[in-house]
Amino acid sequence: MRSITLFTGQFADIPLEILATKAHQWGFDGLELGGHIDLHKASTSQEYCQEILSLLSKNNLKLFAISAHLVGQAVCDHIDERRHRSILPEHVWGDGEPEGVKQRAAKEVIAAAYAAKNLGIKIVTGFTGSSIWHLLYGFPPIDPQQINEGYEDFAKRWKPILDEYKKCDVYFALEVHPSEIAFDIVSAERTLNAIDNHSSFGFNFDPSHFGYQGVDYIEFLCRFKSRIFHVHMKDVDFDWNHPCEAGVFGGHTIFGDPRRFFNFRSLGRGKINFEKIIRTLNQINYQGPLSVEWEDGDMDREVGAQESLQYVRRLDFKRGNIQFDAAFSK
Amino acid sequence: MRSITLFTGQFADIPLEILATKAHQWGFDGLELGGHIDLHKASTSQEYCQEILSLLSKNNLKLFAISAHLVGQAVCDHIDERRHRSILPEHVWGDGEPEGVKQRAAKEVIAAAYAAKNLGIKIVTGFTGSSIWHLLYGFPPIDPQQINEGYEDFAKRWKPILDEYKKCDVYFALEVHPSEIAFDIVSAERTLNAIDNHSSFGFNFDPSHFGYQGVDYIEFLCRFKSRIFHVHMKDVDFDWNHPCEAGVFGGHTIFGDPRRFFNFRSLGRGKINFEKIIRTLNQINYQGPLSVEWEDGDMDREVGAQESLQYVRRLDFKRGNIQFDAAFSK
Amino acid sequence: MRSITLFTGQFADIPLEILATKAHQWGFDGLELGGHIDLHKASTSQEYCQEILSLLSKNNLKLFAISAHLVGQAVCDHIDERRHRSILPEHVWGDGEPEGVKQRAAKEVIAAAYAAKNLGIKIVTGFTGSSIWHLLYGFPPIDPQQINEGYEDFAKRWKPILDEYKKCDVYFALEVHPSEIAFDIVSAERTLNAIDNHSSFGFNFDPSHFGYQGVDYIEFLCRFKSRIFHVHMKDVDFDWNHPCEAGVFGGHTIFGDPRRFFNFRSLGRGKINFEKIIRTLNQINYQGPLSVEWEDGDMDREVGAQESLQYVRRLDFKRGNIQFDAAFSK
Amino acid sequence: MRSITLFTGQFADIPLEILATKAHQWGFDGLELGGHIDLHKASTSQEYCQEILSLLSKNNLKLFAISAHLVGQAVCDHIDERRHRSILPEHVWGDGEPEGVKQRAAKEVIAAAYAAKNLGIKIVTGFTGSSIWHLLYGFPPIDPQQINEGYEDFAKRWKPILDEYKKCDVYFALEVHPSEIAFDIVSAERTLNAIDNHSSFGFNFDPSHFGYQGVDYIEFLCRFKSRIFHVHMKDVDFDWNHPCEAGVFGGHTIFGDPRRFFNFRSLGRGKINFEKIIRTLNQINYQGPLSVEWEDGDMDREVGAQESLQYVRRLDFKRGNIQFDAAFSK
Amino acid sequence: MRSITLFTGQFADIPLEILATKAHQWGFDGLELGGHIDLHKASTSQEYCQEILSLLSKNNLKLFAISAHLVGQAVCDHIDERRHRSILPEHVWGDGEPEGVKQRAAKEVIAAAYAAKNLGIKIVTGFTGSSIWHLLYGFPPIDPQQINEGYEDFAKRWKPILDEYKKCDVYFALEVHPSEIAFDIVSAERTLNAIDNHSSFGFNFDPSHFGYQGVDYIEFLCRFKSRIFHVHMKDVDFDWNHPCEAGVFGGHTIFGDPRRFFNFRSLGRGKINFEKIIRTLNQINYQGPLSVEWEDGDMDREVGAQESLQYVRRLDFKRGNIQFDAAFSK
Amino acid sequence: MRSITLFTGQFADIPLEILATKAHQWGFDGLELGGHIDLHKASTSQEYCQEILSLLSKNNLKLFAISAHLVGQAVCDHIDERRHRSILPEHVWGDGEPEGVKQRAAKEVIAAAYAAKNLGIKIVTGFTGSSIWHLLYGFPPIDPQQINEGYEDFAKRWKPILDEYKKCDVYFALEVHPSEIAFDIVSAERTLNAIDNHSSFGFNFDPSHFGYQGVDYIEFLCRFKSRIFHVHMKDVDFDWNHPCEAGVFGGHTIFGDPRRFFNFRSLGRGKINFEKIIRTLNQINYQGPLSVEWEDGDMDREVGAQESLQYVRRLDFKRGNIQFDAAFSK
């Protein structure tokens, strides 16, 4: 049975000491730190890393991955003060001059690799940002070269980052997600091509971002099996039989609006087929943790984290080693 | 039975003389001119308008609406030379300085109203563009004020345009569509609010842009019934039971790519429920034309236009005026 | 290929001379007379019958069945002046005293048998009424004996009628329908039991009354195969995936209200699987006519009758007499 | 988390002392008294009310609502000795003269308001009966005035009742249900109109009566959000993909017959989407209890009540107060 | 509540002493012995039988049925050394001469009846084999007589066996299954006809073999209600909305291959509607055990057996004995 | 627009002179000869070939392919006199000794290549037979080696045949079909591997054999795009929502039995998505004919052939050569 961890991003306002105690009481096997770690400090201070590891260990929690979603986002994005400033550390934002922000963000993503190394883990999960996400839908007509340039920009900015990851023997796991350079199977393939299949780059598989888009997330696992470095368990609700007022593009509404086509859900209350995901993870021999990323605007998060953990525990299973035939063997 | 017209945008390379002859032979009742009319010239020259009307009349074709989609798009968009230059007339593009382009585009949209007046018709169909479309999905987090500003910008630029439409007694019918200020029911309501329900503004209903988004297009007709100024008959195929490689967000692919979640289709070959649309148009008493916007990357357009016309003819029906009870009356 | 007839009830205001001419021009093979025949007169006057037959013959129209729906309804119903007076001939209504009305209605149904005999046909289609329809749903609790009494009342009133039919060698074909003694498979079985499977009693199969109820109309054909005396082709639209405001019970709305769960439809525009019906009629060897009962509140009835005829012509097919194997034979 | 109560009607043969003990042991938070209270006595005797409250309190059970379903039914119904006598108290039935029964039933419904007041609660749940339910389906043709008269009769009889409720500051919550004046969204709207939206009248929402009818119960909650005074949790099974022998109209069968289209079910074993109901109740801010109305002809009721309670506990959830963005906040 | 037993075939390599202890700890009420019993010995030795019964009894396990699947298979099959030798006891295989093997297999099936008698139970579950299974699909064309001969061969070989069963007052319950003489409803009827409805022959109902074939397993229970002698609870997954690479015919793949259309599953993880099965078993008054046949190539069998037991416990329910009306009774 | 041909196997009893006249009158563009050609004679006599070509030419019919289905079947099958004799020419059957029959059948398949060459065409459609089809389902357990041997036998017998095809520059197009060496995607891949992707071997795509199996026929076209040598248009009906009495394995019933899960159908009356097939054929650039293989046990074959032709004509379409953008171009 795989370890089940809690992604801490949605609990970033709770001090790690407290959250770790709660997570342990709830029954989690570990944490995926998002917002509870100073990447820069961890990249340079073994002592700081040791404190974190001790704290976790005291609560019987394992660590498999840390998150660099927020700084990763700024590497390729068109920097917008009203949107990016709030998600970046002060020292990355600096004077806010876009190119400077992007370069400092890249450095921080590299810091995450060294932080991971210092923490003795292999995985950094995160976002990449994208300079071409806004070209969505494609009207007015898009010069295909514009898309190429977006992937070239990504490659130019991320190859040096990934080379550092390689040095650290750490892997960057992109959460394929709208607003990133990869957000479905086609764009994920193009992303890998753009960086010549850099061996330090792979994916943090999160099915919630695929289901409502109509993307085949089981095929995603099969197609990129050797690149599935980490897995988020996150659910989403949508119902193609009931068209609504704000479609997949969201109608400029905020998450949680009941008029929306999709909203994230506590695990088991949405439409993602986790049974099929678990079986496919078995087939592709994914051995890492299942990290619960809990988000459900209608529900108390502590109640939700617990029911989600129970849901994953019930669903995941010990693999068999007996080959049955159509009927019983002798 | 309503008139069935052909939207000429997809045939813009065929001279109007030839296209009109063909459209008549194919059986259309009229044309919706898109790309076959110089809006500026038509706004100032009665003679030019008369030529157009004669040409149509000679082919037994009626005129109900002209298109200002392309210039409309530039009114609110962030102007991008690689994308907007090719869709704008030289005199609108001018030196390409963004604010200048937007203002000249606004003038051209006003010209379309005068053109319509000179042509003796009431409807200009078109796009509005949007300064906030790129904020789609909403990560990094969006300041709600950013969305408000987008609608304020739209109002500021379009209210003066619509006042001119009112003077001409002509109506602007926005084709609710991704990349426009309105692209579903929620955003359409917000759009109307932003301009205080300006009486000269309504919609060019095109179901193809709603179906694959999961937007309830029948509800759209009911909700905005008095604002349905024009109707496009355009089909689209998608299949929620078959998730694919490039989801609703399109995976940066171009239309026609078989890996896409949706592609436009010759009428009757997609998933739009036109039967229900016809009945709802009857209920809301829409009396205008049904304008075939044909687009299907796999098919010869002349063959397609003809089969689409036949499809609409078969589907539309003469309304009854007898109230049946559960059984026959005496 | 079976004959396709038009049920004339929905055209009762058009004189038979005119309707017959139209029906012939539209392409029908015959008429099922509903509202175009004076049953009493036809039961006594060979001359009157001859006139009708000549009129039909002049228009190349065949006659297979006549309708006694309206008078049949009054045989078992609780008589309500505001509802029944308008559907009954003056001589049946008389002074309106309920028991008297019911008995005179029974006589008129018998007259229909003699009319049929005089016209040289075998089938009278119709309704039976029901003294227990109002006990629908079953709250307050129903004494099962109340239902028994309803079927006993039916048997008491209809057995003598059916005996007369037997004398005439004519069959009464009940249109299984809400508000009748039989309205689904279970109640149809009970109906047959109540009259000891009287050999002169069977069904006018009309799938439109089954589909929206959730009744298996294909099973109906198989279960009662030897009792399928006549077939109505009538369509109905409903969509279980889209719950609505007035459900199957109708919400006290009138037919045609768009808020309703179901509405009758021109053939091919609803949800009835006529393909499967045709094949099952072949299997049970039904050789009678397919009688189009046209009803669609949104559509002109003359346009609708024609498209419905074409729909049935396209669907019905000549039966084969070759047994294919999995592949071609030598 | 809302309180979960048990509606006691299906356990009316078990003395309240015993039932209360069981309910507490099973884990319920309270009872909705149906059949365990003498409304007349409670309306006049504070002592009797105190006894009931003590008994409940002793078992840690809360009281939010009492039921007046049975007497309410007789207010508007056509009184039928074989159906109504068994559901009415002797003093309401009296000599059985219909108009007298109806008026005494109305008085008893008023007594329920005073009983509620004496018990310190705000809600009486119940039925209204209907003088027009039997006009279902609408053949023979219905004079629309007949329907109007039904609603006028309802208004005439219920307005005085509701005025008394207002005096008591108690609310009558109609369980929208077949055989009542309201049984879907359309008839519920008409009901409210008929009594000029009397402020003391609202609804006891019970989804089980909507699902199989094809009525949108989520829309019901949104449409009447300020009038949702009480909620029944009751499940029902049906399967539109499997048409059957006795359709929605029931085929004069009794509940539990396997040939029926729908049958009530222990919670979680039917087709009602309670997840969506809970979320919608959160959105409309319903704060009252969730009252389990258990009915499943196949199952032992004590086992069923317990599994249903557990089902509701698992489903209901504590609401959150944090606004998540698309991703974690800092 | 019915007893829940474990079919031991999939655990044949675990000695009975150990398996019985585990099964008891897991919570099972009994075992269905498959592979853990020497049928020949049990048919002749009361002592051996007593040992088995003691062992079970010591672990609080009941015995309702024993399996003769493997030897049963050889009775009608075309014997193939590479396939049958491994599933047969040495003394049945003997020299492998086909007719001899078949006759010795028949004797062993008879031995199973005597074994059952000695064990004090009534049911032997098993297979029959088939001499015509290979004629599947029917190309090249099959002479209908070939199928007849297959059923005649079955009757010839099994009637004497069944006569012995009758003598022992034991019943043979065929698991209707591909590769047997009966594998769906039609062939099950033909099977019963072939043996003149021999009273000692009935079925071991296992829904997993019907679901993926498109066979109506609920109808199977209703059709053969008096012949349902035993029930296997086994689940299977398939998804008609997702066509795959190896269809129902299996593509010569082995069970567990993810490219297959169907694979067996731990209970509750597949597509079988066990809720409906339980209710139907109640209706037909099946009182025997529910025997978990666990098979899921992806999962550890001990974990799976436990979760499957819990699943069945949760689903099965105590039957009620109160007739509810539409609402509560007094 | 592709040529539409008629496969003549189902009309084998009609002399070619008459059938050709009819096919031309019905509107077909050509014939695929099955049962109307003596392969041996055609392989040796240019004159005979010329006669055939003249006859077709006289009726304006083209020839693209001839069928070797029946003799092909005998190459790998276990020969069974009652099944194979009737489908083989006398000179192939000979004395019926199995190995001899198989070798003579192989020679006849080679003759078909020479016949094709003499007729100036490139394609022979046909079956291969299979020595392992009877191992379907896999119980008793199958030694994987048995399957391997089946493919080896196929390779051994067919490689020499295919080498002769190569010499003739003619291609053998296997109709992937139950009872052949390939019957779905997995087995088709294995088939190609077995013969080292022999360049003269490919497929006659017939979707009717895939749909009811749950095989993804669109994926089949994509996977084997360069090997799609010929296309059969044949429809089949099945309905996964309505489980039945004889499932996919057929219940030993014959085609046409209404209790079956699937039956072949006149084109457009089944469940195959021909629209999607046409578009996919366009994408993979299939330029060959669409050959109507008509089979529908309920329908007259001449009526059916005509309606099927019309169906294909309506569906197939002229490909476009204009790249549309999201909107009209200038």
Side-chain angles (χ1 to χ4, degrees), chain D residues 17 23-24 26 68 87 107 120 141 145 171 190 192 209 252 258 265 289 299 319:
Chain D
E17 295 73 29
H24 171 57
W26 296 340
I87 63 166
K107 276 193 194 142
Q145 183 53 23
Y171 298 83
R190 200 160 180 178
L192 282 172
H209 307 301
H252 293 315
R265 290 287 176 250
M299 194 185 294
R319 302 184 60 183

Side-chain angles (χ1 to χ4, degrees), chain B residues 200-221:
Chain B
S200 303
F201 183 88
F203 301 116
N204 175 36
F205 174 77
D206 184 333
S208 70
H209 306 302
F210 296 135
Y212 64 85
Q213 274 195 71
V215 172
D216 188 340
Y217 45 84
I218 298 301
E219 173 66 17
F220 188 97
L221 289 175

Side-chain angles (χ1 to χ4, degrees), chain C residues 271-304:
Chain C
K271 284 286 185 358
I272 298 300
N273 186 338
F274 287 104
E275 170 88 22
K276 219 164 174 177
I277 288 170
I278 293 291
R279 291 188 185 267
T280 309
L281 290 173
N282 285 350
Q283 284 153 15
I284 67 171
N285 205 22
Y286 171 77
Q287 306 277 11
L290 301 173
S291 190
V292 171
E293 183 183 0
W294 190 88
E295 187 176 330
D296 187 330
D298 294 348
M299 195 186 295
D300 178 86
R301 62 184 171 177
E302 303 205 2
V303 168

Side-chain angles (χ1 to χ4, degrees), chain C residues 82 136 149 213-214 240 244 248, chain D residues 82 136 213-214 240 244 248:
Chain C
R82 290 161 81 180
L136 196 68
E149 289 170 17
Q213 274 193 72
W240 295 112
C244 60
V248 178
Chain D
R82 292 162 79 180
L136 201 65
Q213 275 193 70
W240 294 113
C244 59
V248 177

Side-chain angles (χ1 to χ4, degrees), chain C residues 174-199:
Chain C
L174 167 61
E175 185 171 328
V176 180
H177 179 282
S179 79
E180 308 311 316
I181 195 66
F183 51 96
D184 57 14
I185 295 174
V186 169
S187 54
E189 282 193 327
R190 199 161 182 175
T191 296
L192 283 171
N193 287 345
I195 53 172
D196 304 318
N197 296 301
H198 196 294
S199 63

Side-chain angles (χ1 to χ4, degrees), chain C residues 112-180:
Chain C
Y114 286 90
K117 191 182 170 191
N118 289 344
L119 288 158
I121 61 175
K122 295 282 183 206
I123 305 294
V124 174
T125 58
F127 288 146
T128 58
S130 166
S131 64
I132 50 174
W133 170 249
H134 68 287
L135 293 177
L136 196 68
Y137 189 78
F139 184 81
I142 288 158
D143 179 356
Q145 184 53 22
Q146 288 182 287
I147 304 300
N148 289 341
E149 289 170 17
Y151 283 94
E152 285 161 10
D153 174 74
F154 161 71
K156 189 191 70 185
R157 295 182 185 277
W158 278 86
K159 272 183 170 172
I161 298 174
L162 296 169
D163 288 344
E164 292 290 326
Y165 272 68
K166 194 163 187 68
K167 286 186 202 154
C168 298
D169 194 21
V170 169
Y171 298 83
F172 185 81
L174 167 61
E175 185 171 328
V176 180
H177 179 282
S179 79
E180 308 311 316

